[in-house]
Amino acid sequence: MSKTIIITGGAGFIGSHVVRLFVTKYPEYKIINVDALTYAGNLENLVDIEGQPNYIFEKANILDAPTIKAIFEKYNASDVIHLAAESHVDRSILSPMDFIYTNIAGTVNLLNIAKEHWKKDMEGHRFYHVSTDEVYGTLGAEGLFTETTPYSPNSPYSASKAASDHFVRAYGETYHLPFVITNCSNNYGPNHFPEKLIPLFINNIINNKPLPVYGKGENTRDWLFVIDHARAIDVVFHHGKDKETYNVGGFNEWKNLDLVKMMCSLMDEKLGRPPGTSEQLITYVKDRPGHDLRYAIDATKINKELGWEPSVTFEEGLSKTIDWYLQNTEWLQHVTSGDYQKYYQTQYSNR
Ligand code: NAD
Ligand code: TYD
């Protein structure tokens, strides 16, 4: 069956991989990438597919109701996959209001427009909300987040994502909007903006700059290759049950310091530097306020019910990711000029 899918945030890190997968795998679908092109949005992420006949880009802010409504009408959108968001915890600590506007008000705006557009018959439509495991708060040394773990967000970012998840669910109950939500663990891979741990440290190792490890480096994250997240979105979009939540993760926990040491040794090898060179760049800096100790996802439900599992081991994925950054120095240069330098100063100069 043919569909016209609005993918919001399609010029960002995860969104660009989702857009590519849907455009190439489903030539019978029309894919409308709606993105405001904030600092994190970059059409260079999609140059390989921009000429495809089933792909359209619309530059628009999800807060701009008349423009978003006009896009729904122009293409008669049948479905939404919603990824547009402010996505970085450290920026949410510096400037929480941006997160409230885009992540909460922007999501509610989209929900309103989708509900109005589909009101004659909700059947066959789907509002797919892409969320994060950070809504569950933090774990101690034991346990995993399941779909029934109570929400307990600790950062302005995770609080804004939690609020948006609640609104999606409320629109399902109140207005019968057909929805599905996934809560995914930390992603890594090509096209990741170098403000997050893995791409920031790859860029700093390339440039022989300090690697600012927050606190003692004991915080733990569960890492998933971005292409496996896009594959999960494909599976849940097509086969997930209405009104359900699915957790997505790789059963792949790493303490930050262990991960950073592995990156250092892989990069020494790839850059032809003597072993131990990059580790000397590790610098312990002031901890992030409200820093969640540990995230870890129980991805049993999506595996058992929908048959999804990661396709790439962490060692393979990390090696591919580093190779991508080493081969795409122009991309890195473009995204680290201008405003990035200002952000870096603000975030790291007083730590
Ligand atoms: P990103 O910051 O790389 O990209 C966000 C995209 O949204 C950018 O292209 C940006 O231009 C666009 N955008 C931002 N504000 C907008 C607005 N007001 N209107 C229209 N477009 C706007 O983010 P990402 O890491 O690709 O994350 C995508 C989604 O996945 C987010 O909803 C995030 O919460 C969720 N998520 C991310 C991770 C992760 O590890 N990165 C993990 C789980 C869930
Ligand atoms: P990040 O990539 O920002 O993802 P999130 O906070 O959403 O999990 O950070 C991953 C981990 O790395 C987190 O524990 C914070 C830590 N971190 C550092 O130690 N130094 C840094 O410069 C950054 C950006 C993150």
Side-chain angles (χ1 to χ4, degrees):
M1 202 185 95
S2 183
K3 291 176 181 293
T4 301
I5 310 173
I6 288 182
I7 300 186
T8 70
F13 165 48
I14 302 169
S16 61
H17 289 278
V18 176
V19 165
R20 176 176 300 99
L21 179 67
F22 275 71
V23 164
T24 52
K25 188 169 171 189
Y26 301 107
E28 70 278 24
Y29 292 179
K30 196 177 274 177
I31 303 300
I32 321 294
N33 173 9
V34 174
D35 197 297
L37 299 183
T38 68
Y39 78 91
N42 184 353
L43 290 177
E44 284 180 51
N45 294 343
L46 290 164
V47 275
D48 55 321
I49 58 127
E50 68 189 1
Q52 294 299 315
N54 63 337
Y55 171 70
I56 292 157
F57 172 67
E58 290 277 0
K59 184 173 187 299
N61 193 312
I62 56 167
L63 286 159
D64 176 355
T67 302
I68 299 294
K69 185 166 178 282
I71 293 171
F72 266 76
E73 284 166 4
K74 181 171 168 193
Y75 300 104
N76 192 18
S78 60
D79 299 83
V80 173
I81 303 179
H82 175 37
L83 296 108
E86 289 293 338
S87 68
H88 188 36
V89 173
D90 290 326
R91 288 190 194 248
S92 82
I93 296 167
L94 294 171
S95 153
M97 281 314 277
D98 295 341
F99 288 69
I100 289 155
Y101 292 134
T102 287
N103 298 2
I104 307 177
T107 300
V108 176
N109 201 29
L110 271 180
L111 288 165
N112 276 332
I113 293 164
K115 140 176 115 55
E116 279 307 297
H117 193 73
W118 300 333
K119 72 179 170 202
K120 281 205 189 105
D121 186 7
M122 295 278 187
E123 186 71 28
H125 299 295
R126 174 152 271 186
F127 190 102
Y128 186 138
H129 182 58
V130 177
S131 192
T132 166
D133 62 353
E134 304 193 23
V135 298
Y136 299 122
T138 188
L139 291 164
E142 299 288 315
L144 300 171
F145 295 133
T146 71
E147 287 79 2
T148 55
T149 302
Y151 276 31
S152 184
N154 292 316
S155 73
Y157 164 66
S158 53
S160 69
K161 290 297 290 187
S164 66
D165 293 10
H166 292 322
F167 271 104
V168 173
R169 191 165 289 109
Y171 271 61
E173 291 301 323
T174 308
Y175 306 110
H176 308 295
L177 186 80
F179 76 87
V180 68
I181 299 175
T182 45
N183 295 84
C184 188
S185 62
N186 286 59
N187 286 213
Y188 70 97
N191 311 94
H192 205 181
F193 192 81
E195 62 186 354
K196 311 271 170 63
L197 178 76
I198 290 181
L200 187 137
F201 280 31
I202 293 174
N203 185 42
N204 284 12
I205 292 172
I206 294 173
N207 294 300
N208 275 307
K209 282 177 61 181
L211 305 176
V213 171
Y214 295 161
K216 294 183 181 148
E218 282 174 352
N219 304 68
T220 297
R221 297 293 183 262
D222 176 357
W223 294 95
L224 181 70
F225 194 51
V226 63
I227 288 171
D228 281 328
H229 187 189
R231 287 176 52 250
I233 290 174
D234 178 16
V235 169
V236 173
F237 177 77
H238 288 99
H239 306 293
K241 283 198 212 119
D242 261 353
K243 293 189 178 182
E244 290 282 323
T245 284
Y246 297 86
N247 280 356
V248 185
F251 291 107
N252 178 43
E253 288 183 50
W254 285 82
K255 260 195 182 129
N256 288 344
L257 193 57
D258 295 337
L259 165 59
V260 169
K261 285 184 177 168
M262 175 157 87
M263 287 171 59
C264 287
S265 93
L266 260 173
M267 288 204 61
D268 282 345
E269 210 179 293
K270 289 180 191 285
L271 291 166
R273 294 178 183 168
T277 309
S278 300
E279 257 194 59
Q280 289 166 21
L281 298 170
I282 292 174
T283 312
Y284 295 94
V285 301
K286 200 164 94 199
D287 208 353
R288 172 189 279 174
H291 195 173
D292 287 332
L293 179 67
R294 177 170 163 258
Y295 302 145
I297 280 274
D298 181 349
T300 306
K301 179 177 172 182
I302 187 173
N303 175 256
K304 290 269 176 311
E305 291 186 14
L306 305 179
W308 174 89
E309 62 183 2
S311 67
V312 175
T313 66
F314 192 47
E315 287 70 14
E316 281 165 357
L318 195 58
S319 175
K320 278 187 189 180
T321 302
I322 294 170
D323 290 344
W324 187 86
Y325 283 92
L326 294 176
Q327 284 155 15
N328 288 273
T329 45
E330 221 172 280
W331 183 96
L332 252 185
Q333 271 157 18
H334 290 170
V335 302
T336 53
S337 59
D339 281 352
Y340 180 82
Q341 299 301 334
K342 268 190 241 152
Y343 165 74
Y344 204 93
Q345 273 289 109
T346 314
Q347 178 61 22
Y348 294 101
S349 60
N350 293 321
R351 285 200 112 89

